[in-house]
Amino acid sequence: MLDDAVYREFEEVVGPDNISREPAILDGYTYQIVFNPTPSPWLNRPAAVALPCSTEEVQGIVKVCNRHHVRFKAHSTGWGVFNAPGYEDMIILDLRRMNRILQIDENNMFALVEPYITCNQLQAEAMKKGLNCHIIGAGPNTSVLASCTSVGGVGWTGISMGYNCRNVLGVEWVLPTGEVVRLGSPGSGDGWFSGDGPGPSLRGIMRGLFGAMGGLGVFTRVAVKLFNWPGPKRIDARGLMFDIKAEVPENIKLYILLFPDMQRFLDATYDLGDAEIGWIHSRNPAGMLFTFLFPGLMRETAGRPAMRSAMESIKHMVSFGIAASSPGELAYQEKVVREVIARNDGVLIDMGKLPQFESFMLFGLMRSTLSAFVFRAGGNFASSLVGEETTDSGAPQVDLGVRIKQEYIDKGALIDDMADTVWGSIYENNLFAHYESLMTFDSRDPRQQEWIKVDEEVVDELIDRKWGIGIGLSGAGTVVHKKFGPHMCNYDKWQRRIKKALDPEGLSDPIGYTEPGD
Amino acid sequence: MALREYERDIRGCSRCSICKWVPFAQIKSVDCATVCPSISRYNFHSYSGGGRLILGLSLLEDRVELTEEVADIIYKCVMCGACEVSCKIYRDDIDVLRVIEELRFACVENGMMLPEHMMMVDAMKQEDNVFGEPKSARGDWAKDLGLKDINKEKADVLFHAGCRLSYDEGLRGVVRGAASILSDAGVDLGIAGADEACCGGRAFEVGYRGELEKYAEDFASRVKASGCSKLVTPCSDCYGAFKQLYPMVGKELGVEVLHVVEYVEMLMGQGRIRPTVKVPLKVTYHDPCHLGRRGEPYREWEGEDKLKRPSAFKMSGTRGVYDAPREILSRLPAVELVEMERIREYAWCCGAGGGVMEAYPEFNSWSANERVDEALATGAQAIVTACPWCERSFTDALEERDEDLEVLDLMELLARSLGSEPDA
Amino acid sequence: MSQVGLDIVVCVKQVPDPEGPSSSFTVDEENVRVVTSGIPPVVSPFDENALEAALRLKKAGGGRITLLSAGTKISNPVMLKALATGADNLVLVQDGSLDYSGTDSRSTAALLAAAIGRMDAYDLVLTGRQAADTNAGQVGVGIAGFLGIPAITFAGKIDIAGDKVVVERVLPDGYEVVEGPLPLLVTVSHEVGDLRYPHIAEIKRAKEIPVARWTAEELGVDVKGEKVTELVGISAPRISRRCELVEGDTQREAGENLARALRRDGVL
Amino acid sequence: MMIEELSGIVGADRVSKEKASLEAYASDNSFTEGCAPSAIVSPVNAEQVVEIINLAAREKAGLVPSSSAPPRFRGDTVPEREDSVVVDLTGMDRIIKINRRNKVALIEPGVTFGRLAREVAKEGLKVLMPLLPREGKSVVGSYLEREPILIPKYHWDVTDPLLCAEVIFGTGDMFRTGSAAGPGDLEDQWASERYQKNPMGPGQSDLIRVVQGARGTVGLVTWASVRLEPLPSASRTFIVAADSFGELLGLVYSMLRRKLGEEFLVLNGTDLAAIVGGDREEIEELKGRLPPWSLIYRVAGFKYFPSDRVSYQVNDIGDLAGAEGLEPCRSLAGVSEEDIGGVLDGTSGEPYWKFGYLGGFADIFLIATLEMVPSFLELMEEEAKKAEYPSGNIGMYVQPIQQGRSCHVEFTLYYDEGDEGERQKVRGLCDSAIRRLMDSGGFFSRPFGPWCELPFDRCPDTAMLLGKIGKMLDPDGILNPGKIPYRVV
């Protein structure tokens, strides 16, 4: 419970309508099942929730927190366990009232957004100006800002639009102690085109491979790179999902690529990367697609040998897309992809020949509307990330993840999805690759509450074999760091020091980051 | 609490908040991306579809008590069903709207009703309408139209005006127009006049399930007694009650139920209604919730595990009435339809539903104004709808602003195009 | 007294809406209780009549009306609506022990009597003739007994004449006029008239009316100890339908067979 | 005083106290004022670097890292404290790994552009070059300085082409950034096909971003992995001439948006002449002949259908240029395609191309959005006029970075080497121009020379936060003191 006087101070910052300590309201911020390793959906119930609408209000709240030693954490769209309070007695800042696109700079290809602008909204507006944004795999309903500043996340257009952590330009940041810092050019009042300097780039303190998950203050604005969108200002569609009917623009092509084995998938991926073509690239094994899109069918047939062998044979399946700015570019890219497939013994399915499915796939990939299908089979999912290095390095990790996962499928702890549900994308024309092994389960079923063990086993074995670092176990927080740190140059020590330098009192909820220390 | 029966649904919520948004493929701008008036207006997560599921779990687990404050959250929802549409795109195993209804039943059963709703239900008990207007005046709207009295003579089609159109004098033109269009087309039409009663739908939505059951039972016996083959209503609210709520409480009317737009479209197809007068008007069409997603016929599924529920039994909103009104509009000479961004299954609600019009007029008005803004952005000269509750909301909202936007029921527009605009 | 107005206590019981459809009520034989669903709590209709009688007395001669209700969980909106009709005070005796199985007519009467006894003043105590859920009709006279004041039952009309209360008492075939002295308890029948409907503004204003909240313990009543009856069982009447086609070669024979069948089943 | 200890670490022959060598560091080709170091130490491995840092921490002595051969610029290697020791990393010059499939090289700081380019070319790869670096310029050093590379489409993030690095912080801790952090050492990582390619992390911070741009003030890099790209199998180079930068803007934006072209830069006539010309006279002559502005770009094809790629890009660019009323040419005013190829591919002639014109030069560089550039040019000319400096002598170079989100703008003020008055005039012009450019929205993301404190005055909150981080990584303030004003909080 918060002291009444302290509560009133918060109230003065945001106004009485924008703060609550009603238990029923607070429970809305206490419940999380995604990536929650415990059987209970409830985490700590915060003492209050505030809805600031400006940087000044965020700063005001943080200052009250500092005066009275109250912990705080902000979230944007609030999906996943890392948004839950690490403690009771703390205040949650729900940033949903900070929901403006402040600027889309058409020429210089970036957008300046507040925390509660979702990828979907930004994409819709960017397209009107011939631009597009990278949407992370978590889906179009996630915050653009959060993917840039606070969490991790990768998506299907990474081949052409990069990784959002690397797409960050200027950032506005309310430090745990209440000062407002604008990283890069906006810090000197020079516009939002750069997030680095003068001198060392504090973007490296702001976040790493993962964001600080609410543990380093509150990010209130971010400028993020946009990319060329050669399509129309708006693609009008009828329908909601499977029934979507849209006219796929002529300069956009979608393919499904099939490879006979892992090696040829890898070789082709390197070829596509070197050729610098492609707009969308994503490995989507057949078992995964079937489980997500047709869970009923999968339930009925997964046990049948015929079904299994049919799906095994198309498990090295890649969704590939081209968005070209000119007929010449389109012709060139098409020619290359066909050649790459031919040289690597692959099969190319031109989705343009299957127009109904093409519409569905267009939105599915361009806008990541497929993401939430991960919930369809059992209502919940988790992932053990098995790689974030070269494309080749993922292959043995995929096998490892699949093997461990299969044991749990066999004992009924996970839904049978053919085990290989390793989806992944390549970034920046194959600078590096992301592989992520998904597991689906029904967390309401007492037998299906063991996903965290799969994660742990994968991580342990990867470390033992010195194969790489799966970013499992929800990716962040002291427990993870204690496990990984000793194998990774004791990076955890630096994080504790950063935390100490920025937040000596540990008020910005350390649960998803780390405690201050030496 | 029957809320318990939905515990599995509730525990399936991933808090993804997809319920707050227009289905993704249909998001066309930053401003018209949200679909839920409640969360958009009140902001705390508990005001969203998913937040209401979580609230249900809090109640089930006795983490919170059902207090007046909690009831206030529960009732600040227009029950438009948009959250359900967005959620169901991905989920087979969560019936968001059913849980929202259960929360309201719980309020009523535990005496946590809102006074405004108690008054409405008292009015219904007394006068068989939601306004407490004299029962005897219910049929006054039909004066001089020469319609058959179903209590005295048989008719093929029973025309049910509904409370709003029976008593809202500002909407007289709508109901008279609708009835005239049908009878002019040669439909054998009868009305129940003063004996027409409320459908009970609005009582149900504010949590008085028992009231709906009473009305449904009564209504079923009247329909049966009338011997009609079709029940036609110009009120989407009533339509939704007949199509979705009555079957849900186990009451079937045993006749074909049609909204007047469905019937008119059919008659147009048969050439029995031929609009010929040019009405040069750029219009946008507002899908009433209870004609669209909440007018979807209910189908009971008896299975245990909703993950296995066949999609035919899934209330996804896609089987509502969306095409008929647009088809009619397309047949009106010189009328041009310009669509808003949020339409069909994902239309933004006018704000009148779920007892909000009665208890939270300011919220009703806010929601209506959002929609009016969206309509204005299309450049339309008129916003056309097919539900008197929507029409009332928009008309009231526009009263306070200086905008050039006409609010019309589709039947009013059709009447113009037939050259037979009746006096109100 | 009539010059300054009476202090009238109206006992109101919260019951599940008796006008709900039959499907709202299910009999739980195992737990010996009736379970309701889909319907709200309301003030028991006869108690509403009692309140209406009080309002009329107040209008005629001034005075103050105190509503008194006891139970485990009393709905605020239900009481607000009752208060909004023109009552002045609300006393709630709320206690976890006052549930369905923990009380009977006698213990309820003892509790309400204790509450009335604790009030500053009372001249006239009104209750409904019986509650809509149990229909026992015992609490009213029980209160009078515990308070040691006279009671008049089944009032169809109540008037004040000087320091006397004149009651038209409803009989099956008419009414009789009975007088009683103050303080007095009267149980009221529906002939008094339906309770008026408050306006929404009045309901909102009623939120300002003071509410006293007491518990059985505070009132010194051992509810369990006062309870003398026990509900042993409860069951819904079994309605079963059987269809038998009565046949006969001729119409006459069929008629005879029907008569025989009816006699066999005890109908004739 | 530390000589003995330093000798104990690296061996006596790798410590120099030779006066001339020390004096050589006391100044550079900038206006930076400093002093000679007390010694120069040349470690050969990371362990020695750790020991040197630990020693300096004990002695509270300054360490000035240096990884390129002279001449040096911008003041980074000019000690500000007399007790400073220069840590000369040129001896750490191993190319540890080149991997063709993953297009990456792992190199020590002493590896130069010239050498690396030659080595990776054998594998069909190319190094991402800044504009004509001097032959002895350290690749790692250049990337750590955030010098812009010529191919903006490969500049996805500001760290590019730098990927992972081994860093010794001022605390003496050795740290590896990005995926190089582990698990396992480099051998283990290569064994599992990991080639230090993911620049992010480890964990929830990216310390490489802090090391980059820090001018050696937070840590010394002992190796780094760098991003390479394929060598083209076919290419053509073009110039688009224009009378003003503004005329080029539309084409520049549209090409960048579509990632058309490889190398891609804009030069004014003075700079282009200084690059392709020989001696002073030739340059003067060329200056008169060349168009005021030139957009220079290369179109290339790689493994698959190289000529198809070249021709569609040539056509598309032709269309875009045509729409702007511009015409791409293969050669121009006597500047041949080969000349231009030399601009895009090679390293500078000795000692450095900017000396060729008048002997002396001073640079001003900042970043901005492309559309801001014309106003900066105007401003620069105004200031030149005020300072009575011939504006025709200003070299101007605009290099789009971060795939076109912003650009590096570089003014080179050429002046007569021997003329001290001229030198002082240029210094004054730099001073006034830098201040005005800052006030007009130019972002000096890479502080340099005597003006290195100015950018921080404009962002006190950033400076405050930097102070905390600087203190954390270099608690004793021993690394290149004074080059970044870490303001103690």
Side-chain angles (χ1 to χ4, degrees), chain A residues 2 10 14 18-20 26 28-32 34-35 43-52 57-59 61-66 69-96 98 115 145-146 149-151 173-177 211-220 474 476-478 499 503 506-515, chain B residues 15 44, chain D residues 204:
Chain A
L2 280 178
F10 285 126
V14 293
N18 295 310
I19 184 162
S20 176
L26 299 178
Y29 298 84
T30 308
Y31 172 103
Q32 291 286 358
V34 177
F35 300 133
L43 292 116
N44 299 297
R45 182 192 273 170
V49 176
L51 296 159
E57 289 191 2
V58 171
Q59 188 181 24
I61 290 169
V62 172
K63 284 187 168 166
V64 175
C65 287
N66 273 272
H69 204 89
V70 178
R71 283 199 177 97
F72 63 92
K73 174 166 10 197
H75 75 63
S76 307
T77 52
W79 181 8
V81 76
F82 23 84
N83 293 289
Y87 304 84
E88 293 183 347
D89 296 353
M90 59 181 283
I91 183 166
I92 290 286
L93 282 69
D94 178 344
L95 302 179
R96 58 169 280 121
M98 299 177 72
L145 175 136
T149 60
S150 305
V151 200
W173 180 6
V174 178
L175 296 180
T177 41
M213 309 274 192
L216 277 184
V218 186
F219 302 101
T220 45
S474 302
T478 306
K499 178 73 174 167
D503 185 14
L507 296 183
S508 186
D509 189 357
I511 190 81
Y513 190 64
T514 195
E515 300 282 346
Chain B
R15 206 192 185 281
F44 292 107
Chain D
Q204 291 161 289

Side-chain angles (χ1 to χ4, degrees), chain B residues 146-167:
Chain B
L147 301 173
K148 278 187 184 172
D149 181 347
I150 200 90
N151 302 300
K152 295 180 187 149
E153 44 189 330
K154 295 275 178 215
D156 181 39
V157 174
L158 172 58
F159 184 90
H160 175 86
C163 298
R164 172 60 70 184
L165 285 174
S166 294
Y167 292 103

Side-chain angles (χ1 to χ4, degrees), chain B residues 129 134-145 147 149 151 161-163 165-167 172 175-176 191-197:
Chain B
N129 68 73
K135 190 173 167 51
S136 56
R138 185 154 186 136
D140 290 0
W141 64 266
K143 212 173 160 212
D144 304 332
L145 287 181
L147 301 173
D149 181 347
N151 302 300
C163 298
L165 285 174
S166 294
Y167 292 103
R172 272 286 141 88
V175 63
R176 289 173 68 86
I191 60 168
D195 280 346
E196 184 183 294

Side-chain angles (χ1 to χ4, degrees), chain C residues 74-91:
Chain C
I74 299 167
S75 161
N76 209 22
V78 169
M79 289 300 141
L80 271 183
K81 191 180 131 198
L83 279 171
T85 56
D88 302 283
N89 276 310
L90 174 64
V91 174

